[in-house]
Amino acid sequence: MTANSATERLLRHLGIAHPILLSPMAGAGGTPELAAAVSEAGGLGAWGGAYAKPEEIAATIRQMRTLTRRPFNINLFAGGYAGAHAIDPQPMLDLVGKAHAALGLPPPVLPPLPRDPFNEQLQAVLEERPPVFSFTFGLPSAAQIAALKTRDILVVGTATTVEEAVRLEQAGVDAIAAQGAEGGAHRGTFAGPFESSMVPLATLLRDTCARVKLPVIACGGLMDGRDIAAALRLGAAAVQLGTAFLPCPESGAPAAYKQALLNAKQDTTVITRAFSGRPARGLTNRFIAMASGKEEFILPFRQQNDLTRPMRNASGQKGVADYISLWAGQGVARSRQMPAASLMQTLLAEMSATEVVRA
């Protein structure tokens, strides 16, 4: 399948005009308003519901339908939760306590080790039937994928290696989001050690497109129309951007987070487990520095994430970027601020200009 035919096939299946997808950002950054704006502009908007309760997911899907009549994507974490562990929590409580003191918060309290909510969350998706469902951190069961298919929900899985892409194809997904090492936020690795999944996007695209017959969506560090055109030339059927949309006014990211993205003059991102317990890429800041060398004390996902949430929320409310998880891809230095619809128009114009220059 050529890149052009792959793009046409995916656009037809998704019911969208342009091969630009919004990354489904769980947490404050992703909002129904941002997702709807991207969908209304002819792309595929997305909302990450991984931290939401089933009733919140259902309500958000219904809200999305009031904001746009166009297709949109709902994303969940299909795994990644840890079971019982033997890590002494006190060193991490002490570390987070220092951040709490700096922010004027009371000492932190150890949250319980949460159980994986995926089954209940997915049930809400099945009942509400969004046009597209995507997942990361794992692989749903064959029965769950079949249930999505019987409801005419298009299914997209995340792969960070060719092996994961092959497993997704065998599982029956409709498309594969190939997450390169350059990507911001959590790594979606599920079939091997995180360290073995740090494959540059260009390499991952080349090798994945050679091994699977499904449309492949490129994600990881893409920021402008030139990046998009390059990914499509490498065989991607579409692209998925997250960091590029975070400074948009429709994004729910705190102002200090948006400003940190816009102030970045070079790539200062690192991979850290400090905020959530799971490897993720973001701009380095004070809390990451505080946790450096103390990785053995980091609690597993998602207990670490729940422990640092009050700190992150307070830091955002106070306009201080020191203790926020500033998730960002390696293209962060090219961040720009404009409404999502304007960014979509700009990306499309840049793509066209790139193609004209090549011609």
Side-chain angles (χ1 to χ4, degrees):
M1 182 186 303
T2 66
N4 284 342
S5 66
T7 297
E8 291 169 2
R9 173 185 171 189
L10 184 61
L11 294 183
R12 186 169 60 251
H13 283 185
L14 292 173
I16 62 176
H18 309 301
I20 301 175
L21 284 61
L22 175 66
S23 291
M25 297 173 284
T31 65
E33 291 78 11
L34 178 60
V38 173
S39 290
E40 284 293 296
L44 183 74
W47 180 75
Y51 300 126
K53 296 178 181 178
E55 57 270 24
E56 295 170 333
I57 293 171
T60 300
I61 294 173
R62 292 193 291 269
Q63 179 187 4
M64 287 290 300
R65 289 198 167 100
T66 69
L67 295 173
T68 180
R69 294 186 177 182
R70 299 188 178 184
F72 57 87
N73 169 30
I74 299 296
N75 177 272
L76 295 176
F77 297 160
Y81 280 68
H85 64 85
I87 301 172
D88 179 2
Q90 195 56 52
M92 188 51 58
L93 283 168
D94 293 341
L95 182 68
V96 175
K98 293 178 181 178
H100 274 223
L103 292 166
L105 296 175
V109 176
L110 182 69
L113 189 67
R115 66 180 186 84
D116 188 343
F118 179 70
N119 291 339
E120 292 82 2
Q121 292 174 327
L122 183 64
Q123 189 57 42
V125 172
L126 292 172
E127 292 173 1
E128 293 297 330
R129 301 190 180 192
V132 183
F133 170 74
S134 66
F135 59 88
T136 188
F137 292 13
L139 187 60
S141 70
Q144 289 171 329
I145 291 180
L148 289 160
K149 296 270 198 165
T150 60
R151 288 163 175 78
D152 295 322
I153 301 171
L154 192 142
V155 183
V156 181
T158 304
T160 60
T161 63
V162 174
E163 176 192 356
E164 290 177 347
V166 171
R167 289 182 60 176
L168 289 169
E169 183 174 50
Q170 293 171 343
V173 302
D174 297 293
I176 295 168
Q179 183 191 33
E182 303 91 335
H186 288 107
R187 302 296 301 158
T189 307
F190 67 88
F194 139 74
E195 293 80 5
S196 67
S197 77
M198 297 300 289
V199 184
L201 179 58
T203 302
L204 182 61
L205 266 180
R206 180 198 65 200
D207 295 348
T208 300
C209 291
R211 285 287 302 276
V212 302
K213 297 180 180 179
L214 295 175
V216 178
I217 301 161
C219 43
L222 307 177
M223 293 293 289
D224 57 32
R226 185 175 179 178
D227 292 342
I228 295 170
L232 296 177
R233 288 197 300 272
L234 288 171
V239 298
Q240 186 169 280
L241 284 70
T243 306
F245 284 96
L246 276 171
C248 294
E250 298 92 341
S251 159
Y257 184 174
K258 294 182 179 183
Q259 197 58 52
L261 297 175
L262 296 169
N263 289 345
K265 303 305 179 187
Q266 60 184 352
D267 173 24
T268 60
T269 63
V270 295
I271 299 291
T272 181
R273 294 191 299 115
F275 289 104
S276 73
R278 185 179 178 91
R281 183 181 295 283
L283 293 171
T284 188
N285 63 2
R286 182 172 298 177
F287 187 71
I288 291 176
M290 289 169 60
S292 178
K294 303 177 178 64
E295 286 78 12
E296 64 184 295
F297 303 122
I298 295 175
L299 302 173
F301 183 85
R302 147 183 165 186
Q303 191 175 36
Q304 180 78 8
N305 193 74
D306 291 346
L307 174 62
T308 65
R309 181 176 291 111
M311 171 191 77
R312 291 181 280 119
N313 289 344
S315 191
Q317 291 164 4
K318 292 177 180 293
V320 178
D322 291 339
Y323 307 104
I324 304 172
S325 48
L326 303 171
W327 301 147
Q330 287 188 313
V332 63
R334 289 177 285 137
S335 295
R336 46 201 174 176
Q337 191 169 46
M338 64 185 83
S342 298
L343 180 55
M344 284 289 293
Q345 293 171 357
T346 300
L347 293 171
L348 292 169
E350 290 170 343
M351 288 172 60
S352 297
T354 301
E355 292 304 319
V356 168
V357 170
R358 286 186 69 243

